[in-house]
Amino acid sequence: DQTIQSKANELYWNNNNDWKKRHCAVTTITQISDHMISESNEVGASITKILQLFSNDKNYRIKYASINAIGQLSNDHFELLSDKFTQQILMSLKSALSLDNDIKIQTHSCAALINFVPPLEQQQ
């Protein structure tokens, strides 16, 4: 778990110019996040922060993949996200709705919001 987290952090913070490597990091996190988060909420928090950073990437493929991951985590691990990251998640998804973004990113952000908002409303 720590290896994947550190590699994803490295790919983001080193401003890696190869979008394929950044995309691989996000996709890997998406695929294994369910198992990683069930073991540790700290890992879940770290993953969420990484995905938020990637959701602001210049490359539309990276944005799309990170928003997909946020939507999946919202569906699978809402309690973790809502406890610690409500405002950050909402801001990331709102930003993705910008008309400056590709239509695929906008629609995927809408889908992620659909996964995130109804349980949030039920909590209140």
Side-chain angles (χ1 to χ4, degrees), residues 66-76 93 108 111-113 115-116:
S66 65
I67 291 167
N68 177 62
I70 290 170
Q72 182 176 332
L73 289 175
S74 296
N75 197 38
D76 297 342
L93 296 176
H108 227 56
L113 281 166
N115 286 345
F116 189 71

Side-chain angles (χ1 to χ4, degrees), residues 52 55-56 85-97 109 113 116:
Q52 286 179 272
S55 72
N56 294 317
F85 300 104
T86 299
Q87 290 303 317
Q88 296 94 322
I89 296 288
L90 289 175
M91 292 306 291
S92 291
L93 296 176
K94 180 183 172 188
S95 172
L97 291 172
S109 181
L113 281 166
F116 189 71

Side-chain angles (χ1 to χ4, degrees), residues 9 11 16 30 51:
N9 268 323
L11 288 170
N16 192 309
T30 304
L51 291 175

Side-chain angles (χ1 to χ4, degrees), residues 24-38:
C24 181
V26 174
T27 303
T28 300
I29 288 171
T30 304
Q31 293 298 315
I32 64 173
S33 62
D34 205 29
H35 303 288
M36 291 170 60
I37 290 174
S38 63

Side-chain angles (χ1 to χ4, degrees), residues 9 12-13 48-57 66 92:
N9 268 323
Y12 181 79
W13 291 112
T48 304
K49 288 177 186 175
I50 292 168
L51 291 175
Q52 286 179 272
L53 294 172
F54 277 121
S55 72
N56 294 317
D57 197 279
S66 65
S92 291

Side-chain angles (χ1 to χ4, degrees), residues 55-84:
S55 72
N56 294 317
D57 197 279
K58 292 175 269 183
N59 186 290
Y60 77 94
R61 291 177 181 99
I62 309 305
K63 284 184 185 183
Y64 182 86
S66 65
I67 291 167
N68 177 62
I70 290 170
Q72 182 176 332
L73 289 175
S74 296
N75 197 38
D76 297 342
H77 298 286
F78 173 77
E79 63 288 342
L80 169 73
L81 298 181
S82 67
D83 286 346
K84 298 180 181 184

